[in-house]
Amino acid sequence: YLYYDWAGDGHSLITFDQLSHWGQCPAWTDFHPASFSGVELSEKPCAYFTTGKTKASTLSLSVLVTIEMLNALNALSEDASLLQMPPWCNPWLLLAMFISFALHFVILYVPVLASIFSIVPLTVNDWMLVMAFSVPVIFVDEALKCVGRMRNAKELEVRRASMSEAAGMTKKTQ
């Protein structure tokens, strides 16, 4: 919620200084955030930093859950790409991911549980935002795997060359 309205829910944007000094909010005379997502802030503008953070907390939690599930997919193989070793190679992992997401959806969309966990339901726009911040973990890990494969191939080439040299030297001495 810093500088840019990623969620598109109409909340007021704040500066880094306001965010880092939110405890001083009662002394601010010029802070008048707009009400958003059913959070009325006209009477208590400083509630923006407590009650108003529920959406941000929910988005953060959802990004973390999604990133961890995508990391589980990346962990199918240390070196092989997801294109070489597709997710359906491990149906138990897919089942575990499904159950994890199902439980996350339950706490998001069952009002009693959402209240207990102090989170709010996410819209389709919110889920697009979650995916935009989560999916890059797949590309980053795929790039790291590619670099690892190239380094391993180069290292193997060096070992083979040194073994060939050693084998050639052994033949000469015999």
Side-chain angles (χ1 to χ4, degrees), residues 1-3 13-25 28 30-31 48-49:
Y1 285 32
L2 184 64
Y3 295 115
L13 302 179
I14 59 172
T15 65
F16 181 75
D17 187 59
Q18 289 172 319
L19 181 62
S20 59
H21 297 94
W22 68 273
Q24 299 168 1
C25 178
W28 299 341
D30 60 339
F31 185 65
Y48 180 89
F49 297 105

Side-chain angles (χ1 to χ4, degrees), residues 89-107:
C89 287
N90 187 343
W92 294 109
L93 175 62
L94 294 178
L95 178 64
M97 289 175 60
F98 175 79
I99 291 170
S100 296
F101 273 120
L103 290 172
H104 184 65
F105 293 150
V106 166
I107 68 165

Side-chain angles (χ1 to χ4, degrees), residues 34-124:
S35 299
F36 66 97
S37 296
V39 178
E40 179 56 46
L41 299 170
S42 59
E43 295 293 320
K44 295 182 179 179
C46 293
Y48 180 89
F49 297 105
T50 54
T51 310
K53 74 176 181 134
T54 336
K55 180 78 162 272
S57 297
T58 306
L59 287 167
S60 299
L61 175 66
S62 297
V63 166
L64 289 173
V65 167
T66 305
I67 283 177
E68 289 307 317
M69 294 304 107
L70 295 176
N71 268 332
L73 285 179
N74 282 330
L76 280 170
S77 172
E78 186 176 335
D79 296 320
S81 168
L82 278 174
L83 299 174
Q84 295 169 327
M85 181 174 278
W88 51 86
C89 287
N90 187 343
W92 294 109
L93 175 62
L94 294 178
L95 178 64
M97 289 175 60
F98 175 79
I99 291 170
S100 296
F101 273 120
L103 290 172
H104 184 65
F105 293 150
V106 166
I107 68 165
L108 277 177
Y109 297 107
V110 173
V112 172
L113 294 175
S115 171
I116 290 170
F117 286 94
S118 298
I119 56 177
V120 294
L122 297 178
T123 65
V124 172

Side-chain angles (χ1 to χ4, degrees), residues 147-160:
V147 168
R149 284 191 302 270
M150 290 187 314
R151 290 181 79 190
N152 287 344
K154 191 178 282 189
E155 195 175 296
L156 182 61
E157 188 179 308
V158 168
R159 275 197 227 136
R160 283 184 179 162

